[in-house]
């Protein structure tokens, strides 16, 4: 099941963990990295593992963001929470696809040690958070089978390259971050995994969130990361095909089914060929995902 909304919840906050599952997101990302102060990480690992063990796993998928792989914190995160059997791990500041492979080897051992099924824990790299990562995104064409999704980020990348902001005078993303977004989108589709759009950090700006979610879906992302419960409904709606979209997609599918020998057809005065059928099938498949 491809989550539409991935809601971040700081792993050291009992209160927010308590609210997370009821927020309506298809997946939670319990954070052990940037939103948790270093001194709070030990307690965050304990709370996260406890939460994973006790959570009703039918409500939403539970991912955990560990620390960057070259840190001791990452190893403490892995050994501290794996017994809770997370559905997946978010891997921040991934430098190359090799980081996913290395994490996968760690997981091979940790799954055996904890009696988990091999390959049960998925990997979700944040693939554009460092300048070096931007130059190696093509590597995701040959991706480990644990990788389930890719996302991008503008905040860490702008800090890493010494930018004063990642927005232009109109508040829109500036060129380096549009590049990061586009490369992530292509890398995810080349890898055959879900493309997930990054956060809209201004969590009171509903109109801006609606706009960026709509643009993300238009461009080929199938979900988006949220940081606040109020963002969930807006993102869920933006990534759910509307009745009109489903009806149009079904009409395209029906027309091709009724004309099996036609390569190109017309509907409502517009030309249709193979890519339109592919698109229509995707809309109907997405609409039919059982989210109960
Ligand atoms: N998950 C679960 N609950 C959350 C939440 C989240 N991400 N963000 C806020 N809430 C809860 C709050 O605890 C508050 O609960 P209450 O009504 O019982 O007091 C309620 O939702 C309303 O929150 P609000 O007062 O509007 O926001 P805040 O000032 O408490 O928190 C943030 C703002 C940004 C600190 C908070 O949304 C947050 O921690 N987001 C996640 C940050 C994160 O993980 N970042 C890493 C990735 S970029
Ligand atoms: Mg970060």
């Amino acid at each position: 099941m491809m989550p539409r909304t991935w809601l971040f919840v700081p792993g050291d906050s009992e209160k927010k963990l308590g609210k997370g599952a009821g927020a309506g997101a298809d997946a939670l990302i319990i954070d052990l990295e940037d939103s948790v102060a270093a001194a709070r990480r030990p307690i965050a690992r304990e709370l996260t593992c406890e939460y994973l063990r006790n959570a009703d796993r039918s409500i939403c998928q539970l991912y955990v963001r560990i620390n960057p792989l070259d840190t001791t914190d990452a190893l403490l995160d892995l050994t501290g929470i794996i017994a809770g059997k997370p559905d997946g791990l978010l891997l921040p500041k991934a430098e190359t696809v090799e980081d996913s492979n290395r994490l996968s080897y760690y997981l091979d051992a940790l799954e055996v040690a904890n009696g988990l099924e091999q390959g049960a824990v998925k990997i979700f790299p944040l693939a554009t958070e460092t300048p070096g990562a931007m130059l190696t995104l093509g590597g995701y064409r040959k991706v480990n089978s644990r990788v389930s999704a890719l996302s991008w980020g503008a905040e860490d990348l702008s800090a890493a390259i010494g930018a004063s902001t990642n927005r232009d005078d109109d508040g829109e993303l500036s060129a380096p971050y549009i590049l990061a977004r586009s490369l992530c989108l292509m890398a995810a589709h080349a890898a055959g995994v879900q493309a997930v759009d990054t956060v809209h950090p201004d969590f009171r700006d509903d109109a801006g969130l609606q706009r960026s979610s709509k643009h993300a879906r238009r461009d080929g992302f199938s979900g988006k990361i949220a940081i606040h419960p109020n963002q969930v409904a807006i993102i869920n709606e933006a990534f759910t095909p509307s009745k009109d979209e489903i009806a149009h997609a079904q009409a395209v599918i029906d027309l091709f089914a009724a004309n099996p020998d036609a390569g190109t057809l017309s509907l409502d005065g517009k030309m249709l060929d193979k890519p339109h059928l592919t698109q229509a099938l995707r809309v109907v498949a997405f609409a039919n995902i059982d989210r109960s």
Side-chain angles (χ1 to χ4, degrees), residues 7-10 15-16 19-20 31 35 65 203-204 227-229:
L7 173 63
F8 257 117
V9 185
K15 182 170 143 190
K16 288 176 189 164
K19 291 207 134 187
D31 191 23
S35 73
R65 179 164 75 172
F203 61 85
R204 308 254 182 252
I227 50 164
H228 190 285

Side-chain angles (χ1 to χ4, degrees), residues 4-198:
R4 296 161 298 182
T5 306
W6 299 75
L7 173 63
F8 257 117
V9 185
D12 67 335
S13 168
E14 259 178 291
K15 182 170 143 190
K16 288 176 189 164
L17 282 168
K19 291 207 134 187
D26 296 325
L28 299 185
I29 306 168
I30 304 171
D31 191 23
L32 299 176
E33 196 215 9
D34 284 348
S35 73
V36 179
R40 299 272 302 162
R41 288 209 179 110
I43 179 75
R45 290 179 193 114
E46 272 176 40
L47 283 174
T48 299
C49 193
E50 188 70 13
Y51 183 81
L52 290 168
R53 284 179 191 277
N54 296 323
D56 176 352
R57 305 300 283 263
S58 67
I59 298 177
C60 54
Q61 294 184 41
L62 298 176
Y63 274 56
V64 176
R65 179 164 75 172
I66 62 170
N67 280 276
L69 211 53
D70 57 358
T71 62
T72 307
D73 266 324
L75 301 178
L76 291 168
D77 294 341
L78 285 171
T79 49
I81 59 102
I82 199 72
K85 193 177 183 288
D87 292 298
L89 301 174
L90 214 71
L91 179 60
K93 302 180 181 74
E95 274 293 322
T96 73
V97 72
E98 276 309 313
D99 285 355
S100 309
N101 294 336
R102 196 167 127 213
L103 178 54
S104 181
Y105 294 137
Y106 293 163
L107 287 171
D108 286 345
L110 289 165
E111 284 169 347
V112 170
N114 287 274
L116 307 183
E117 192 189 321
Q118 279 287 278
V121 183
K122 301 293 174 207
I123 299 176
F124 177 176
L126 293 176
T128 70
E129 290 195 312
T130 74
M134 288 285 291
L135 303 176
T136 65
L137 279 158
Y140 286 98
R141 273 173 301 177
K142 283 193 188 154
V143 84
N144 189 285
S145 61
R146 285 186 191 269
V147 173
S148 59
L150 283 188
S151 191
W152 65 286
E155 310 304 325
D156 284 282
L157 183 59
S158 52
I161 63 175
S164 51
T165 168
N166 46 41
R167 301 272 162 179
D168 65 17
D169 294 344
D170 301 325
E172 300 298 328
L173 285 171
S174 57
Y177 313 98
I178 294 175
L179 178 69
R181 178 182 182 278
S182 299
L183 287 176
C184 168
L185 178 65
M186 297 305 157
H189 285 285
V193 303
Q194 185 184 12
V196 179
D197 193 29
T198 196

